[in-house]
Amino acid sequence: MFIIGELINGMYKQVGKAIAEKNKKVIQDLARKQVEAGASALDVNCGPLSKNPVSDMQWLVETIQESVDVSLSLDSTKAEVIEAGLKLAKKKAVINSTTADQEKLEKLIGMAKQYKTYLIGLSLDKKGVPQDKDRRIELAATIAAAAQDDGFPVEDLFLDPVVLPVNVAQSQGINVIEAIREFKLLASPPPRAIVGLSNVSQGTCERNLINRIFLIMSVGAGLDAAILDPLDKELMNSLITAELILNKQIYCDSFLNAYRKK
Ligand code: THG
């Protein structure tokens, strides 16, 4: 499982404040803790309150890279913010993200090729968030086809069905899980499936429980990657155990520790 740590996001009050005050310690502690907990990459999002997202993204990338040596997932709806991060990234980065809109797709596939990055494609377009499984697959297919036509390596493409909060869009959970299964059939070699896990529990009381169960059900449907909180130890233990049951890890009595040492 490709785990992207979600915690460096200006959406969190403490992180938004650290970005505004240019407090390196808060950001570097979050970076180190997430990598120690098993993150293979870190999501970097300036948040909705950033007044200058280009320079905030540059500062975040430089600050994080002073403390850890991992891939960064540059998370913004603005291509120029993503590109500002790409120019500084030392390791193979993740572009998070493109939608299925033609103009945006072309631009971000071009950028992904130029900087040799991974690319996340959201099942989303100007018409808004899909409300069923088939629309998610249709939009993902548009993205996969554009990537293939443009010569972008499909194994570097992650398709995201767009997870919605269970308290306001309860019928969408199963549509997301079924879309994950079908995404793998859209190209050969199969594109990878990814979710922003914590979306599912926003505004609910049992956040950790809801995240955990949704993650494991999605892993059962073939999920390859997730943006999640790697500091949630029960979540990580459940994920490691799911991979064990799916025969992706070798069993030994200390399999949780064995996985962590890797
Ligand atoms: N797909 C892709 N990228 C994404 C998402 C996605 N990036 C952003 C988001 N969704 C994933 N990251 C988060 C980060 C935080 C939260 C949810 C998803 C979150 N934050 C608290 C909240 O809103 O309740 C913040 C409040 C606080 O604690 O201060 O839940 O789907 N490709």
Side-chain angles (χ1 to χ4, degrees):
M1 174 72 50
F2 190 70
I3 296 164
I4 303 180
E6 73 179 5
L7 296 175
I8 302 180
N9 188 317
M11 198 200 292
Y12 292 100
K13 273 197 203 93
Q14 176 212 16
V15 175
K17 187 161 172 274
I19 295 171
E21 294 170 355
K22 299 289 176 284
N23 181 339
K24 283 191 176 184
K25 186 172 186 308
V26 168
I27 303 298
Q28 291 176 340
D29 283 353
L30 281 174
R32 266 192 292 267
K33 279 187 194 158
Q34 291 185 91
V35 172
E36 279 165 16
S40 335
L42 299 177
D43 200 55
V44 187
N45 185 316
C46 307
L49 298 177
S50 168
K51 291 197 185 85
N52 195 339
V54 166
S55 64
D56 283 348
M57 179 60 88
Q58 289 166 332
W59 178 77
L60 280 170
V61 168
E62 283 172 338
T63 300
I64 295 165
Q65 289 183 156
E66 282 170 20
S67 61
V68 293
D69 185 32
V70 289
S71 289
L72 300 181
S73 161
L74 306 163
D75 187 354
S76 174
T77 53
K78 299 193 176 97
E80 68 270 25
V81 174
I82 291 173
E83 188 162 28
L86 288 178
K87 284 183 176 153
L88 297 170
K90 291 183 185 152
K91 289 207 138 180
K92 182 165 177 169
V94 182
I95 291 181
N96 186 11
S97 51
T98 181
T99 62
D101 292 307
Q102 212 53 49
E103 203 181 321
K104 184 148 195 180
L105 248 182
E106 264 172 41
K107 187 169 195 170
L108 288 165
I109 290 172
M111 220 181 254
K113 280 166 62 184
Q114 181 187 346
Y115 293 92
K116 297 193 167 55
T117 71
Y118 300 102
L119 175 64
I120 299 177
L122 296 178
S123 284
L124 200 67
D125 68 0
K126 289 199 179 93
K127 291 181 197 141
V129 181
Q131 296 300 327
D132 59 28
K133 176 190 76 165
D134 290 342
R135 184 72 181 142
R136 285 184 165 82
I137 295 164
E138 191 182 325
L139 292 165
T142 301
I143 296 169
Q148 279 185 309
D149 290 349
D150 229 349
F152 179 76
V154 85
E155 58 273 25
D156 286 346
L157 178 65
F158 290 85
L159 296 171
D160 182 333
V162 184
V163 172
L164 299 172
V166 68
N167 62 344
V168 295
Q170 193 171 350
S171 62
Q172 294 310 305
I174 185 65
N175 292 338
V176 163
I177 289 168
E178 287 177 359
I180 290 168
R181 212 183 287 283
E182 297 197 26
F183 281 1
K184 315 304 272 304
L185 308 173
L186 288 174
S188 178
R192 294 197 261 183
I194 187 167
V195 295
L197 182 67
S198 301
N199 301 5
V200 74
S201 64
Q202 273 178 319
T204 68
C205 291
E206 295 284 356
R207 290 204 72 168
N208 292 7
L209 176 63
I210 293 170
N211 288 342
R212 190 157 76 243
I213 299 300
F214 191 71
L215 178 65
I216 300 315
M217 292 178 76
S218 301
V219 168
L223 190 74
D224 304 281
I227 304 168
L228 54 71
D229 176 5
L231 305 189
D232 180 342
K233 194 159 182 187
E234 276 193 275
L235 180 69
M236 294 297 283
N237 282 347
S238 302
L239 180 56
I240 296 164
T241 308
E243 296 211 316
L244 178 79
I245 299 299
L246 291 172
N247 200 27
K248 291 177 181 170
Q249 310 290 340
I250 295 171
Y251 179 81
C252 66
D253 287 344
S254 56
F255 70 91
L256 292 173
N257 286 333
Y259 179 90
R260 289 207 159 84
K261 285 207 182 91
K262 274 202 299 195

